[in-house]
Amino acid sequence: MAIWNLGSINIDRVYRLDSLPLPGETLTSRSYGWGLGGKGANQSVAAAGAGAVTHHLGAMGSGDDWVVERLAARGVDTAHVARMADQATGHAIIMVDDKAENAIVIHPGANRAIDEDHLARSLTGIGAGDTLLLQNETSGQIAAAQAANAAGARVIYSAAPFDLQAVRQVLPHVTILAMNEGEAAQLFAAMPGDLPVQGLLITRGSKGAEYRDLTTGRTHEQASFKVTPVDTTGAGDTFAGYFAAGLDGGLSIPDALRRASAAAALQVTRPGAGDAIPTAAEVDAFLAAQS
């Protein structure tokens, strides 16, 4: 079994300043850092780190070779990542002031230019028992979900960044819908009543997470592990990737929730997004220390 992830690949460029610039103002940053980001790349690194065979489906510019090298170094298969000469690699310009307020500009670039024919060829290898991960930062979600369904695969869809129209379009092809607490509130307000999925995964930050099995009516809850957070960027992606890998590896829902919660707890104690995601061995050590 394997994880197939149609997901965004971004370069995070972080500038720290004394204050955020006003319109027309030019400021000098105190520091600059860069690293791997994008909800899709984060989830792929998490799934691979958890031990799942993970194939990333996506696109980026023709340069920035370090991005695919870093994904590959974390155990992600990048053979299906298209390189586009006419598109920039997706990236985020992140400005953070001394009060931790931020302003962010995201350029989706190649993430929104994924060719569906290339995607269809990439997905010929997906099969029954595999899992397709999706988020809202790329094109091609519906075509990928339909192909996965036809192959008998599980489809886990992270409805983020939240876009009601995108959710409505892909939902009929989804097995498990993953959201944070705020996204869930928006969805339930817009779409009251039963949802056409087997399960709902809802993360609640420091309040933990829950999985609602809509086929049995049972709810599984997982408390968060108590840690001192340094940077919460990418925590939800870490949780989703580890949860998917847990199911792929045959874990029960409660065990997959616990392992995903531990991975997210570890991740927030480190700065960064994709580069801060822990390995399976680190999660094992963390869980051992909790018992």
Side-chain angles (χ1 to χ4, degrees):
M1 293 183 285
I3 303 287
W4 300 74
N5 183 11
L6 172 59
S8 56
I9 300 172
N10 283 346
I11 298 171
D12 288 345
R13 304 186 184 280
V14 182
Y15 301 84
R16 298 193 178 275
L17 309 98
D18 293 326
S19 61
L20 299 180
L22 299 172
E25 185 179 19
T26 299
L27 298 176
T28 300
S29 68
R30 295 200 313 264
S31 66
Y32 164 70
W34 52 272
L36 179 64
K39 297 189 71 62
N42 294 342
Q43 289 189 10
S44 282
V45 169
V53 174
T54 304
H55 307 283
H56 193 92
L57 312 171
M60 54 181 290
S62 57
D64 305 310
D65 290 343
W66 68 268
V67 174
V68 287
E69 290 168 0
R70 190 165 297 182
L71 283 169
R74 297 298 298 267
V76 179
D77 171 30
T78 61
H80 302 292
V81 175
R83 308 301 293 272
M84 298 183 172
D86 61 341
Q87 295 286 339
T89 300
H91 55 271
I93 304 299
I94 305 168
M95 295 178 288
V96 184
D97 70 11
D98 59 4
K99 298 181 179 64
E101 294 292 338
N102 63 53
I104 303 173
V105 176
I106 295 178
H107 177 67
N111 293 317
R112 291 289 187 184
I114 294 172
D115 178 76
E116 291 194 3
D117 290 336
H118 173 83
L119 187 58
R121 291 191 297 273
S122 297
L123 280 168
T124 56
I126 196 170
D130 287 353
T131 298
L132 174 70
L133 295 182
L134 299 169
Q135 315 85 35
N136 275 344
E137 292 186 335
T138 71
S139 53
Q141 293 103 325
I142 297 172
Q146 289 174 329
N149 273 331
R154 176 194 295 120
V155 178
I156 300 179
Y157 170 52
S158 296
F162 187 79
D163 180 321
L164 182 59
Q165 182 178 359
V167 174
R168 288 186 187 276
Q169 290 175 335
V170 76
L171 205 56
H173 314 293
V174 171
T175 311
I176 297 173
L177 177 61
M179 303 169 286
N180 64 30
E181 191 171 25
E183 292 155 355
Q186 293 181 71
L187 180 64
F188 297 153
M191 299 178 64
D194 295 335
L195 295 172
V197 296
Q198 293 181 17
L200 295 176
L201 174 63
I202 302 175
T203 54
R204 304 184 184 280
S206 62
K207 293 180 287 184
E210 68 177 57
Y211 180 85
R212 301 180 189 177
D213 188 329
L214 302 188
T215 61
T216 65
R218 186 178 180 186
T219 296
H220 303 273
E221 297 185 354
Q222 171 64 50
S224 63
F225 292 93
K226 303 306 178 186
V227 296
T228 301
V230 171
D231 185 348
T232 60
T233 307
D237 301 330
T238 301
F239 194 107
Y242 259 82
F243 181 78
L247 297 187
D248 180 74
L251 294 183
S252 66
I253 293 294
D255 286 344
L257 286 173
R258 186 169 187 267
R259 193 162 180 80
S261 182
L266 261 179
Q267 195 266 351
V268 303
T269 64
R270 307 166 176 176
D275 296 325
I277 294 172
T279 64
E282 290 172 322
V283 173
D284 288 340
F286 179 84
L287 286 171
Q290 306 302 311
S291 56

